[in-house]
Amino acid sequence: MRATAAELQPMEMSFLGNTLDRRSTKRGDKAYLDGLLHKPDTEIVLSTARTLVFQAGATLTLGHTLDSAKALGADPAELVFLGLRQATGKALFSTTLPQDDEELAERDDLQLIDLRTLALQNALPPEDMGALAQARALIHWHRSHRHCSRCGEKTLMAEAGYRRDCPSCEGTHFPRTDPCVIMLITDASGEKALLGRPARLPEGIYTTLAGFMEPGETIEQAVRRETLEESGIQVGDVRLISNQPWPFPANLMLGCIGTATSFDIEIEDDELEACKWCDRDEVRQMVAHTHPEGHLIPPSISIAYELITGWLEGRL
């Protein structure tokens, strides 16, 4: 179901504030990890395949205790060590639950919230949102890599959740992060920006073009290829501006600015349902929610908002 424009009010760009000390050199130290796990102030982030699972209450608490996590069906052998909080030194772990959302939603002592909704609501501080992005990306990887891609046997968690080992063929598997380019393309004058409308977005939203990088590509090559494939626009100069973890499920968004060397738009595939050149006045109307056709830009939890408003305000 599509979100409404009212649900997409601007917040701050999300998932950048992860301050956890990951203690990567301790991931193979079982005694150290067991000691952390059994501390009374240790927190465990719980998730289903789709949503995060919190204790019910007026104040949103990030994690569960080990006992409460086990009572909900968490497998101690599948706990991922996220790191230590810088301010307090408290340990943070995460894992997935075997139940589906519908089963857990019937409980009065729990509340289920997806990560995107938390970001839109600005419900937690930046350091917690960054930690949850790390947790959700790792949880997704573990749920989708329970069996060896080489021989099909069940894999076992290792290195505190940053590797899975196959006891049959001795294959080792590591978490993946998928890089995506997301780019604001301007015309040669720099006064018009190319914005598109994928069908998956809420009604009226126009955004920057984006796509996955392919093997053997540079960032610049990926920007040029994706722009050409989606809009028929050729791109010359490309600059990398910023980047953002995007845990849906495990992407790294590489924000770029590119200069078009052609102007005529041709949509040949089904990636976009609309694409257009917008001048600054039109984009200002989108930002202010005063566009005559109700067009909007994405909320500021995403790097697309930063690229569009950065160009609009002359910061990029």
Side-chain angles (χ1 to χ4, degrees):
M1 184 174 69
R2 288 182 174 183
T4 64
E7 295 171 320
L8 295 174
Q9 298 302 314
M11 301 294 171
E12 293 184 359
M13 199 163 87
S14 291
F15 315 123
L16 301 181
N18 192 343
T19 58
L20 290 177
D21 177 357
R22 300 191 180 209
R23 292 292 173 101
S24 58
T25 60
K26 291 290 190 178
R27 289 172 182 165
D29 189 335
K30 187 175 185 304
Y32 173 78
L33 295 172
D34 284 345
L36 290 178
L37 186 58
H38 288 88
K39 285 187 174 182
D41 58 1
T42 289
E43 299 172 286
I44 300 173
V45 175
L46 298 181
S47 176
T48 67
R50 292 185 295 170
T51 60
L52 293 155
V53 181
F54 298 93
Q55 297 285 354
T59 302
L60 206 57
T61 303
L62 192 63
H64 299 251
T65 65
L66 177 59
D67 288 342
S68 65
K70 289 165 65 175
L72 288 169
D75 182 356
E78 291 288 321
L79 285 171
V80 177
F81 175 53
L82 300 176
L84 304 180
R85 291 185 178 276
Q86 283 191 353
T88 63
K90 293 180 180 179
L92 193 63
F93 290 78
S94 67
T95 194
T96 187
L97 294 176
Q99 303 97 320
D100 58 27
D101 286 23
E102 289 71 22
E103 184 178 354
L104 291 172
E106 296 177 357
R107 297 182 54 133
D108 294 334
D109 59 334
L110 300 175
Q111 55 181 323
L112 279 62
I113 311 175
D114 69 272
L115 186 57
R116 193 185 300 265
T117 297
L118 283 174
L120 289 169
Q121 293 176 346
N122 204 21
L124 290 167
E127 59 269 24
D128 284 355
M129 292 304 299
L132 288 177
Q134 178 186 351
R136 280 294 292 158
L138 283 164
I139 285 169
H140 170 80
W141 180 76
H142 282 288
R143 290 186 70 98
S144 58
H145 288 77
R146 296 193 185 279
H147 292 84
C148 179
S149 60
R150 291 169 55 178
C151 70
E153 288 295 320
K154 187 174 181 179
T155 57
L156 303 174
M157 183 182 287
E159 285 293 310
Y162 292 82
R163 195 179 79 215
R164 294 193 75 90
D165 294 343
C166 178
S168 176
C169 71
E170 299 184 347
T172 56
H173 308 277
F174 298 89
R176 58 181 294 168
T177 296
D178 298 317
C180 298
V181 289
I182 181 167
M183 49 277 184
L184 183 78
I185 305 302
T186 68
D187 69 348
S189 71
E191 293 303 310
K192 292 182 182 290
L194 184 69
L195 300 181
R197 236 210 77 70
R200 59 181 169 76
L201 287 185
E203 192 66 39
I205 297 288
Y206 276 76
T207 187
T208 54
L209 306 189
F212 286 98
M213 290 188 64
E214 293 187 352
E217 278 188 321
T218 66
I219 294 171
E220 294 83 359
Q221 289 168 342
V223 167
R224 296 182 185 113
R225 175 185 54 79
E226 284 287 346
T227 304
L228 184 63
E229 289 174 356
E230 293 185 9
S231 67
I233 297 296
Q234 296 181 347
V235 176
D237 181 59
V238 174
R239 292 180 291 130
L240 177 64
I241 299 297
S242 59
N243 62 93
Q244 177 193 23
W246 193 247
F248 304 108
N251 305 130
L252 176 65
M253 307 303 291
L254 302 169
C256 300
I257 295 286
T259 303
T261 58
S262 65
F263 192 78
D264 294 332
I265 297 170
E266 295 182 15
I267 301 176
E268 295 185 357
D269 60 18
D270 58 357
E271 186 72 23
L272 298 177
E273 67 177 25
C275 188
K276 63 179 181 175
W277 289 104
C278 303
D279 61 25
R280 294 180 193 271
D281 287 340
E282 183 176 7
V283 175
R284 287 191 187 96
Q285 291 176 327
M286 292 179 178
V287 173
H289 291 209
T290 59
H291 192 279
E293 297 177 52
H295 295 170
L296 304 166
I297 68 169
S300 61
I301 66 168
S302 72
I303 202 169
Y305 179 93
E306 180 63 24
L307 290 172
I308 294 169
T309 57
W311 166 78
L312 180 64
E313 297 165 5
R315 292 185 281 108
L316 301 180

